[in-house]
Amino acid sequence: MIPIAKPLVGDEEKRAVADVLSSGMLASGPKVKEFEERFAKYVGVKYAVATSSGTTALHLALLSLGIGKGDEVIVPSFSFIATANAILFCGAKPVFCDIDPKTYNIDTDKIEKLITNRTKAILPVHLYGQPADLKPIMEIAEKHNLYVIGDAAQAHGAEYDGKKIGSFGDVECFSFYPTKNMTTGEGGMITTNSKDIAEMARSLENHGREKTQWGYEHMRLGYNYRMTDMEAAIGIEQLKKLDRFNDARIKNARFYDEELEEVEGIVTPYVMENAKHVYHQYTIRVKRKKREKLIEIFKKKGIGYGIYYPKPLHFYPHLRKFAHEDLKNSENVADEVISIPVHPGLKEEDLVLIVDAIREGVR
Ligand SMILES: *Cc1c(COP(=O)(O)O)cnc(C)c1O
């Protein structure tokens, strides 16, 4: 069986966790601090705050900007469910924007007409590892005085105009779930250049704690969204390997690009000229009937695959009330995408087997 995703954890991670366990300092300690400092440096920002997951990173990012009841956040209608849920956690309203069917990211031409006097932020997702088209997003945000919160749960190490994702906008959110480009088991990270946002996120993730003249006091409603030192120790080792992991993903993607380009009925991933795509997923597009045939063959041959995502967000029961007319691209794309294994654990013979299976499937 060739899995669709496979975390690569080596002796370095095992040793690092064992060291933390021996140290007796298991919750947020020196490893969390070190991981935050290394991650901020890698991304090229002043501050990073480690969290318990990508979902809690998104929730904290929104809360740290003061987004709450009555506020609207513009978000693509094609993403993982957590992107929209985090907006609901705050009591705010997700305003769905359609996607560009070429990049699968938010269609920047459709953002402005969704802006109302309640809009507080734009929340682009860098889906599958390709950056959203940030230049027009930043321009729209500036013109209308909106925050930009990025969902980089799939885009560790991706770049836009030669700069790392995580260094654009007001705040960026990462996930370290085992299927992502790097992992800590469960875990997440917020990156920002704003001291205020970083301090607020740090307080909110730790029961609203703040240092006062009396010591630590609970100054606001907060949560426990902290990362543990075991997780951070894994993260430090994974971060050292991230560029290598991404290089392997890109190399696998290039192989697929070349082999699948001429195969009729298959649309390979489009990459923007000014973007470094890090292929959290290698996602192809085929007509629905052919997708069913492909799935049959993948199952027969023991090839893992994933449909990310089978539905646009506004098709889910608790999000249906936010649906509107102009979301057709996300609806069509959901019927036609299928992701094939691209992770760094693949061998050349796996890639060949997968390409042969696809050729057979679309014949
Ligand atoms: C994985 C993911 C999340 C959530 O991250 P968790 O760590 O699983 O909570 C959010 N958004 C996107 C786009 C994701 O892929």
Side-chain angles (χ1 to χ4, degrees):
M1 177 78 197
I2 305 172
I4 178 71
K6 183 180 174 187
L8 290 183
V9 174
D11 290 338
E12 300 82 2
E13 286 84 349
K14 290 174 193 165
R15 247 195 318 272
V17 172
D19 287 347
V20 171
L21 292 174
S22 308
S23 80
M25 190 80 138
L26 308 188
S28 309
K31 288 292 167 188
V32 169
K33 188 159 184 289
E34 183 186 338
F35 185 32
E36 289 175 341
E37 284 166 3
R38 284 175 181 261
F39 201 84
K41 191 160 169 236
Y42 177 81
V43 165
V45 292
K46 289 191 192 137
Y47 309 97
V49 180
T51 64
S52 54
S53 73
T55 306
T56 55
L58 283 164
H59 188 196
L60 281 177
L62 289 156
L63 289 174
S64 300
L65 293 170
I67 288 165
K69 208 165 150 40
D71 295 337
E72 295 179 358
V73 179
I74 296 173
V75 64
S77 51
F78 192 60
S79 181
F80 184 54
I81 194 86
T83 315
N85 284 352
I87 298 166
L88 292 177
F89 295 166
C90 304
K93 178 184 167 188
V95 174
F96 289 124
C97 184
D98 204 7
I99 56 161
D100 174 344
K102 244 163 98 181
T103 62
Y104 310 119
N105 280 323
I106 193 164
D107 184 341
T108 56
D109 289 335
K110 293 185 176 177
I111 293 175
E112 258 186 313
K113 62 172 181 260
L114 296 169
I115 295 173
T116 71
N117 55 10
R118 298 188 155 192
T119 309
K120 284 280 152 60
I122 307 170
L123 202 171
V125 179
H126 313 292
L127 202 69
Y128 307 141
Q130 166 147 259
D133 196 4
L134 290 164
K135 189 162 177 273
I137 292 171
M138 299 305 295
E139 281 167 8
I140 294 165
E142 197 153 317
K143 183 171 154 202
H144 297 272
N145 200 20
L146 306 174
Y147 294 121
V148 175
I149 303 151
D151 182 341
Q154 307 186 354
H156 324 65
E159 292 174 16
Y160 182 88
D161 279 345
K163 267 179 68 186
K164 286 255 158 47
I165 290 304
S167 61
F168 295 85
D170 296 281
V171 52
E172 193 79 42
C173 305
F174 293 85
S175 161
F176 304 122
Y177 190 71
T179 56
K180 313 288 181 179
N181 296 47
M182 61 175 282
T183 187
T184 61
E186 295 277 6
M189 190 78 81
I190 286 172
T191 60
T192 182
N193 278 313
S194 159
K195 188 163 187 258
D196 289 345
I197 293 171
E199 280 180 357
M200 186 54 81
R202 225 176 259 298
S203 167
L204 289 167
E205 78 162 358
N206 194 11
H207 307 290
R209 237 171 60 143
E210 203 172 284
K211 196 166 183 171
T212 66
Q213 59 175 322
W214 312 111
Y216 285 99
E217 289 188 277
H218 304 284
M219 304 303 283
R220 54 187 64 82
L221 174 67
Y223 303 81
N224 175 357
Y225 284 171
R226 298 177 309 239
M227 180 180 274
T228 68
D229 252 30
M230 286 84 78
E231 290 164 332
I234 298 170
I236 290 166
E237 298 309 320
Q238 288 273 299
L239 183 59
K240 292 178 194 166
K241 302 175 182 180
L242 176 61
D243 286 341
R244 251 183 299 147
F245 287 164
N246 282 341
D247 286 347
R249 285 176 183 274
I250 291 164
K251 190 159 163 258
N252 293 341
R254 288 292 89 82
F255 181 86
Y256 286 140
D257 285 345
E258 274 166 34
E259 296 291 321
L260 298 176
E261 196 178 34
E262 301 303 323
V263 179
E264 203 174 297
I266 294 219
V267 182
T268 53
Y270 165 83
V271 185
M272 287 188 305
E273 226 166 70
N274 57 343
K276 180 179 179 183
H277 190 322
V278 291
Y279 296 98
H280 168 63
Q281 298 295 347
Y282 188 92
T283 302
I284 57 176
R285 208 176 153 183
V286 289
K287 289 279 174 250
R288 191 172 189 143
K289 276 272 174 326
K290 283 202 172 163
R291 187 169 79 174
E292 283 162 18
K293 257 190 83 193
L294 274 184
I295 289 172
E296 237 172 75
I297 286 177
F298 286 160
K299 281 186 176 153
K300 204 171 74 194
K301 301 204 165 195
I303 297 168
Y305 65 90
I307 294 187
Y308 310 113
Y309 295 91
K311 285 179 187 169
L313 292 173
H314 57 283
F315 279 13
Y316 287 100
H318 70 292
L319 296 168
R320 213 170 271 154
K321 59 175 174 285
F322 306 112
H324 58 83
E325 284 302 301
D326 190 14
L327 298 170
K328 290 284 176 289
N329 289 331
S330 63
E331 293 164 14
N332 294 335
V333 159
D335 279 341
E336 298 187 354
V337 286
I338 180 163
S339 302
I340 58 176
V342 71
H343 57 80
L346 294 168
K347 298 190 198 70
E348 184 152 356
E349 67 232 46
D350 299 330
L351 298 173
V352 171
L353 185 82
I354 292 165
V355 164
D356 287 346
I358 292 171
R359 285 212 184 97
E360 193 185 323
V362 296
R363 217 168 18 226

